[in-house]
Amino acid sequence: MEERPLLLLDVDGVLNPLGRQVRGFRRYEVTVGGTVYTVFLHRDHGAKLLRLAEETGAALTWATTWEHLANEWIAPRIGLPSLPVVELAGAEPVADGMSAKTPHVAGFVKGRPFVWFDDALGPEDERYLENHPDVGEFLLIQVDHRHGLTDEHLDRARDWLSRFGPEKDDAIPGQ
């Protein structure tokens, strides 16, 4: 049986719009390693992402520089369970304009189809993924960092993932 597709989630710029508070988002102060960060999160994102995962049979996974801290600081504030994490230790840009996360994502997916919600992906990332031997089908969804994740982004992911068919029996997010 083929493994389930993935829904890869960035935090900053996707779940946490950057630059200003967006209507419907709540402000939180998060302290990490003695540094205080301000994040703006929308409670509805968790329920919408869980519904998308259930409907499509996809596994929600963090692909963020927050790494495991996303499970501690972000997930509970938007109603998500603890999720698997794409490890980014030592992530550095590989080429001009390419995200430092892209090689780590390529190594993590192991041929599984995936949708990646991120605000900092471009043509270099797409080319790298298209040419990587461990990467199968994928859809990069560029999110405007000023507004964050929208229903249109979720609908686009749902439409794309619908061709893989949900596996209702094991459609538990993050598994």
Side-chain angles (χ1 to χ4, degrees):
M1 178 166 79
E2 184 176 309
E3 290 192 59
R4 295 173 36 208
L6 298 166
L7 283 166
L8 303 179
L9 301 170
D10 185 23
V11 172
D12 294 324
V14 175
L15 299 177
N16 172 34
L18 301 175
R20 63 184 173 91
Q21 186 166 0
V22 177
R23 184 179 178 164
F25 285 72
R26 181 174 171 199
R27 178 187 176 122
Y28 295 92
E29 300 295 323
V30 176
T31 304
V32 178
T35 302
V36 178
Y37 298 94
T38 300
V39 295
F40 299 99
L41 302 172
H42 199 296
R43 180 79 180 162
D44 291 347
H45 277 156
K48 289 177 179 185
L49 287 163
L50 288 170
R51 186 168 36 257
L52 176 61
E54 182 177 347
E55 290 171 1
T56 62
L60 291 166
T61 303
W62 294 118
T64 175
T65 56
W66 284 79
E67 293 186 277
H68 294 280
L69 291 173
N71 283 321
E72 181 180 347
W73 293 105
I74 306 302
R77 287 172 171 83
I78 62 172
L80 288 178
S82 185
L83 303 175
V85 174
V86 175
E87 300 285 342
L88 301 174
E92 294 182 17
V94 176
D96 288 336
M98 189 170 91
S99 170
K101 294 186 273 187
T102 301
H104 297 273
V105 165
F108 182 88
V109 299
K110 295 179 177 49
R112 294 163 74 177
F114 67 93
V115 172
W116 187 2
F117 297 109
D118 204 295
D119 66 313
L121 299 174
E124 295 83 5
D125 300 287
E126 190 161 7
R127 274 192 293 280
Y128 183 92
L129 294 168
E130 286 171 344
N131 294 312
H132 197 282
D134 294 330
V135 175
E137 295 183 70
F138 65 90
L139 174 65
L140 304 181
I141 298 183
Q142 181 72 26
V143 176
D144 184 331
H145 70 274
R146 297 167 298 173
H147 304 288
L149 189 67
T150 66
D151 288 344
E152 290 77 21
H153 297 124
L154 297 170
D155 290 342
R156 189 166 164 219
R158 183 179 290 104
D159 290 345
W160 189 83
L161 287 166
S162 68
R163 61 193 176 145
F164 299 100
E167 296 177 17
K168 298 288 186 190
D169 292 324
D170 62 355
I172 300 168
Q175 298 298 315

